[in-house]
Amino acid sequence: MKKIWITSLAHNENSVKNLMTALKPYHIPVDGGFWVDDLPKMAWTGIKDSLLDPEVGLWVIIANKDSWENKSILKGVSALASMLRARRKTALPVLILGDGFELLADTLPTPLISAKLLSMSAPNLGVKVLALLNSPFSYAINEYHLDFHPLNELGLWMELSPSLSWSGMILGVDSGEINFQAVGLRGTLPEKSVLEYPQQGLKIALADKKFTAWGVQNHINHENSYFARLTELPEQILFTPYTQDDETEAYIIRFC
Protein backbone atom coordinates (compact mmCIF):
# COMPACT_ATOMS: atom_id res chain seq x y z
CA MET A 1 0.00 0.00 0.00
CA LYS A 2 1.19 3.52 -0.75
CA LYS A 3 2.06 5.61 2.26
CA ILE A 4 1.59 9.25 3.16
CA TRP A 5 4.33 11.63 4.25
CA ILE A 6 3.11 14.44 6.52
CA THR A 7 5.08 17.67 6.92
CA SER A 8 3.87 20.22 9.46
CA LEU A 9 5.38 23.62 8.66
CA ALA A 10 4.60 24.86 12.18
CA HIS A 11 5.55 22.84 15.26
CA ASN A 12 1.95 22.09 16.17
CA GLU A 13 1.53 18.59 17.58
CA ASN A 14 -2.24 18.91 17.94
CA SER A 15 -2.72 19.52 14.22
CA VAL A 16 -0.68 16.43 13.36
CA LYS A 17 -2.58 14.34 15.91
CA ASN A 18 -5.92 15.52 14.49
CA LEU A 19 -4.88 14.47 10.98
CA MET A 20 -3.59 11.13 12.22
CA THR A 21 -6.91 10.55 13.99
CA ALA A 22 -8.79 11.29 10.76
CA LEU A 23 -6.64 8.77 8.87
CA LYS A 24 -6.60 6.03 11.52
CA PRO A 25 -9.79 4.20 10.41
CA TYR A 26 -8.28 3.63 6.94
CA HIS A 27 -5.06 1.97 8.13
CA ILE A 28 -2.89 4.06 5.81
CA PRO A 29 0.86 3.88 6.49
CA VAL A 30 1.96 7.35 7.60
CA ASP A 31 5.34 8.94 8.29
CA GLY A 32 6.63 12.50 8.50
CA GLY A 33 7.77 15.24 10.85
CA PHE A 34 8.03 18.96 11.51
CA TRP A 35 9.65 21.31 9.01
CA VAL A 36 13.15 22.56 9.83
CA ASP A 37 13.60 26.16 8.67
CA ASP A 38 17.31 26.82 8.17
CA LEU A 39 18.12 28.00 4.63
CA PRO A 40 21.85 28.70 5.21
CA LYS A 41 22.35 25.05 6.21
CA MET A 42 20.03 23.86 3.40
CA ALA A 43 17.91 22.00 5.98
CA TRP A 44 15.09 21.73 3.44
CA THR A 45 16.96 18.85 1.82
CA GLY A 46 16.71 16.74 4.98
CA ILE A 47 13.59 14.82 3.92
CA LYS A 48 14.43 14.61 0.21
CA ASP A 49 15.37 10.93 0.24
CA SER A 50 12.23 10.02 2.20
CA LEU A 51 10.01 11.77 -0.35
CA LEU A 52 11.88 10.21 -3.27
CA ASP A 53 10.85 6.79 -1.95
CA PRO A 54 8.46 5.36 -4.60
CA GLU A 55 6.28 3.96 -1.79
CA VAL A 56 5.33 7.51 -0.79
CA GLY A 57 2.19 8.26 -2.78
CA LEU A 58 1.13 11.59 -1.25
CA TRP A 59 2.89 14.50 0.44
CA VAL A 60 0.60 16.26 2.92
CA ILE A 61 1.72 19.69 4.11
CA ILE A 62 0.02 21.29 7.13
CA ALA A 63 0.34 25.09 7.12
CA ASN A 64 -0.96 27.69 9.52
CA LYS A 65 -1.12 31.36 8.56
CA ASP A 66 2.23 32.33 10.09
CA SER A 67 4.16 29.49 8.48
CA TRP A 68 2.52 30.08 5.09
CA GLU A 69 3.54 33.75 5.18
CA ASN A 70 7.13 32.89 6.14
CA LYS A 71 9.20 33.41 2.98
CA SER A 72 12.10 31.35 4.29
CA ILE A 73 9.85 28.33 4.80
CA LEU A 74 8.17 28.69 1.40
CA LYS A 75 11.50 29.00 -0.38
CA GLY A 76 12.67 25.72 1.13
CA VAL A 77 9.41 23.89 0.41
CA SER A 78 9.42 25.18 -3.18
CA ALA A 79 13.02 24.12 -3.78
CA LEU A 80 12.30 20.67 -2.37
CA ALA A 81 9.17 20.33 -4.54
CA SER A 82 11.28 21.24 -7.58
CA MET A 83 13.81 18.53 -6.75
CA LEU A 84 11.09 15.92 -6.29
CA ARG A 85 9.49 16.73 -9.63
CA ALA A 86 12.87 16.56 -11.38
CA ARG A 87 13.99 13.31 -9.76
CA ARG A 88 11.02 11.09 -8.96
CA LYS A 89 10.16 8.40 -11.46
CA THR A 90 6.49 8.69 -10.53
CA ALA A 91 4.66 11.95 -9.97
CA LEU A 92 4.00 12.87 -6.34
CA PRO A 93 0.72 14.66 -5.58
CA VAL A 94 0.84 17.34 -2.89
CA LEU A 95 -2.00 18.20 -0.51
CA ILE A 96 -1.73 21.43 1.49
CA LEU A 97 -4.01 21.68 4.52
CA GLY A 98 -4.84 25.16 5.79
CA ASP A 99 -4.79 25.08 9.58
CA GLY A 100 -7.06 27.84 10.86
CA PHE A 101 -7.01 29.94 7.68
CA GLU A 102 -8.10 29.67 4.08
CA LEU A 103 -5.47 28.79 1.52
CA LEU A 104 -5.85 30.56 -1.80
CA ALA A 105 -4.63 29.11 -5.08
CA ASP A 106 -3.11 32.42 -6.19
CA THR A 107 -0.74 32.36 -3.19
CA LEU A 108 0.88 29.11 -4.29
CA PRO A 109 4.55 29.28 -5.32
CA THR A 110 5.16 28.07 -8.87
CA PRO A 111 6.60 24.63 -7.90
CA LEU A 112 3.43 23.94 -5.85
CA ILE A 113 0.95 25.19 -8.43
CA SER A 114 -0.58 21.73 -8.92
CA ALA A 115 -1.14 21.12 -5.19
CA LYS A 116 -4.59 20.29 -3.88
CA LEU A 117 -5.89 22.67 -1.19
CA LEU A 118 -8.12 21.69 1.72
CA SER A 119 -8.94 22.94 5.19
CA MET A 120 -7.92 20.97 8.27
CA SER A 121 -11.54 21.31 9.37
CA ALA A 122 -12.98 19.94 6.10
CA PRO A 123 -15.70 17.31 6.68
CA ASN A 124 -14.65 13.72 6.01
CA LEU A 125 -11.02 14.79 5.79
CA GLY A 126 -9.71 11.24 6.07
CA VAL A 127 -11.85 10.06 3.15
CA LYS A 128 -10.67 12.96 0.99
CA VAL A 129 -7.03 12.28 1.77
CA LEU A 130 -7.50 8.57 1.02
CA ALA A 131 -9.18 9.40 -2.30
CA LEU A 132 -6.32 11.67 -3.31
CA LEU A 133 -3.77 9.02 -2.37
CA ASN A 134 -5.46 6.50 -4.64
CA SER A 135 -6.33 8.81 -7.56
CA PRO A 136 -4.22 8.81 -10.74
CA PHE A 137 -1.87 11.79 -10.83
CA SER A 138 0.59 13.15 -13.34
CA TYR A 139 2.45 16.44 -13.60
CA ALA A 140 1.34 19.07 -16.08
CA ILE A 141 3.79 19.31 -18.97
CA ASN A 142 6.59 21.78 -18.30
CA GLU A 143 8.60 23.54 -20.96
CA TYR A 144 11.67 23.35 -18.73
CA HIS A 145 13.54 21.11 -16.30
CA LEU A 146 14.38 22.64 -12.90
CA ASP A 147 16.44 20.93 -10.22
CA PHE A 148 18.72 21.82 -7.32
CA HIS A 149 22.05 20.36 -6.23
CA PRO A 150 22.62 21.33 -2.57
CA LEU A 151 26.21 20.38 -1.77
CA ASN A 152 27.77 21.20 1.59
CA GLU A 153 31.27 21.79 0.21
CA LEU A 154 30.35 23.22 -3.20
CA GLY A 155 27.30 25.33 -2.31
CA LEU A 156 23.79 25.50 -3.72
CA TRP A 157 23.48 24.91 -7.46
CA MET A 158 20.41 25.38 -9.61
CA GLU A 159 20.01 23.32 -12.78
CA LEU A 160 17.89 24.48 -15.71
CA SER A 161 17.27 23.19 -19.21
CA PRO A 162 14.50 23.65 -21.80
CA SER A 163 12.40 20.84 -23.20
CA LEU A 164 13.38 21.89 -26.73
CA SER A 165 16.69 23.43 -27.80
CA TRP A 166 18.12 26.84 -26.97
CA SER A 167 21.27 28.52 -28.28
CA GLY A 168 22.21 29.67 -24.80
CA MET A 169 20.51 30.70 -21.58
CA ILE A 170 20.21 33.73 -19.32
CA LEU A 171 19.28 33.25 -15.65
CA GLY A 172 18.40 36.11 -13.33
CA VAL A 173 17.77 36.15 -9.57
CA ASP A 174 15.90 38.84 -7.65
CA SER A 175 17.93 38.38 -4.45
CA GLY A 176 21.29 36.96 -3.53
CA GLU A 177 23.82 36.43 -6.30
CA ILE A 178 25.00 33.98 -8.92
CA ASN A 179 28.74 33.46 -8.42
CA PHE A 180 29.56 30.61 -10.82
CA GLN A 181 28.03 29.02 -13.89
CA ALA A 182 28.59 25.87 -15.93
CA VAL A 183 27.06 23.71 -18.66
CA GLY A 184 27.01 19.92 -18.66
CA LEU A 185 24.97 16.74 -18.90
CA ARG A 186 21.55 16.89 -17.30
CA GLY A 187 21.35 15.57 -13.76
CA THR A 188 25.03 15.80 -12.77
CA LEU A 189 27.02 18.85 -11.77
CA PRO A 190 29.92 18.93 -14.26
CA GLU A 191 33.50 18.76 -12.99
CA LYS A 192 34.70 20.83 -15.96
CA SER A 193 32.86 23.13 -18.31
CA VAL A 194 33.76 25.18 -21.37
CA LEU A 195 31.57 28.27 -21.58
CA GLU A 196 30.80 30.08 -24.81
CA TYR A 197 30.67 33.88 -24.50
CA PRO A 198 29.80 33.95 -20.79
CA GLN A 199 28.30 37.11 -19.36
CA GLN A 200 27.85 38.30 -15.79
CA GLY A 201 25.99 41.04 -13.96
CA LEU A 202 23.28 41.68 -16.54
CA LYS A 203 20.43 43.83 -15.25
CA ILE A 204 16.86 42.90 -16.18
CA ALA A 205 13.76 44.81 -15.07
CA LEU A 206 10.34 43.25 -15.43
CA ALA A 207 7.30 45.03 -14.01
CA ASP A 208 8.31 45.94 -10.43
CA LYS A 209 11.02 43.28 -10.17
CA LYS A 210 14.73 43.66 -10.87
CA PHE A 211 16.93 40.67 -11.63
CA THR A 212 20.70 40.28 -11.76
CA ALA A 213 21.55 37.75 -14.46
CA TRP A 214 24.36 35.64 -15.86
CA GLY A 215 24.32 33.89 -19.20
CA VAL A 216 26.13 31.71 -21.73
CA GLN A 217 25.74 30.94 -25.42
CA ASN A 218 26.34 27.19 -25.15
CA HIS A 219 23.79 25.02 -26.93
CA ILE A 220 21.34 23.69 -24.31
CA ASN A 221 18.64 21.08 -24.85
CA HIS A 222 16.89 18.17 -23.09
CA GLU A 223 20.19 16.27 -22.73
CA ASN A 224 22.31 18.95 -21.09
CA SER A 225 21.69 21.73 -18.62
CA TYR A 226 22.78 25.14 -17.43
CA PHE A 227 24.06 25.19 -13.84
CA ALA A 228 24.37 28.27 -11.63
CA ARG A 229 25.74 28.48 -8.10
CA LEU A 230 23.62 30.71 -5.85
CA THR A 231 24.56 32.50 -2.66
CA GLU A 232 20.99 32.05 -1.42
CA LEU A 233 17.59 30.86 -2.55
CA PRO A 234 15.91 33.80 -4.31
CA GLU A 235 12.24 34.73 -4.08
CA GLN A 236 11.95 34.64 -7.87
CA ILE A 237 14.06 33.67 -10.84
CA LEU A 238 13.79 34.66 -14.48
CA PHE A 239 15.29 32.64 -17.31
CA THR A 240 15.18 33.03 -21.04
CA PRO A 241 16.94 31.82 -24.19
CA TYR A 242 20.07 33.76 -25.08
CA THR A 243 19.07 35.85 -28.09
CA GLN A 244 19.81 39.13 -29.79
CA ASP A 245 16.12 39.68 -30.52
CA ASP A 246 14.32 42.51 -28.79
CA GLU A 247 11.46 40.19 -27.87
CA THR A 248 11.73 36.63 -26.54
CA GLU A 249 9.93 34.27 -24.22
CA ALA A 250 10.84 34.48 -20.54
CA TYR A 251 9.93 32.22 -17.65
CA ILE A 252 9.45 33.46 -14.10
CA ILE A 253 9.46 30.99 -11.21
CA ARG A 254 8.17 32.24 -7.87
CA PHE A 255 9.46 30.35 -4.84
CA CYS A 256 7.55 32.36 -2.23
Side-chain angles (χ1 to χ4, degrees), residues 5 7 9 34-51 59 71-84 87 146-152 155-159 230 232-234 255:
W5 186 276
T7 297
L9 300 186
F34 297 107
W35 185 257
V36 179
D37 180 28
D38 190 341
L39 288 183
K41 293 184 179 180
M42 298 184 284
W44 51 272
T45 66
I47 59 174
K48 169 181 63 69
D49 290 340
S50 297
L51 287 168
W59 184 18
K71 291 184 177 181
S72 175
I73 290 176
L74 284 191
K75 285 181 183 181
V77 173
S78 295
L80 178 56
S82 300
M83 290 184 74
L84 297 176
R87 300 186 183 198
L146 169 61
D147 197 0
F148 285 92
H149 299 268
L151 304 169
N152 289 330
L156 175 62
W157 291 79
M158 177 183 291
E159 177 186 354
L230 311 177
E232 65 179 64
L233 274 172
F255 294 109

Side-chain angles (χ1 to χ4, degrees), residues 233-246:
L233 274 172
E235 293 184 14
Q236 295 184 30
I237 64 168
L238 174 150
F239 63 97
T240 180
Y242 198 109
T243 178
Q244 302 298 328
D245 295 340
D246 293 335

Side-chain angles (χ1 to χ4, degrees), residues 3 28 56 84 153 209 232:
K3 69 177 180 180
I28 306 170
V56 175
L84 297 176
E153 296 182 355
K209 276 288 183 181
E232 65 179 64

Side-chain angles (χ1 to χ4, degrees), residues 64 77 195 212:
N64 63 9
V77 173
L195 301 182
T212 301

Side-chain angles (χ1 to χ4, degrees), residues 143-145 160-166 169 186 220-222:
E143 296 180 349
Y144 57 85
H145 164 85
L160 279 165
S161 59
S163 58
L164 298 175
S165 180
W166 289 359
M169 180 178 288
R186 178 183 286 195
I220 299 172
N221 55 28
H222 66 280

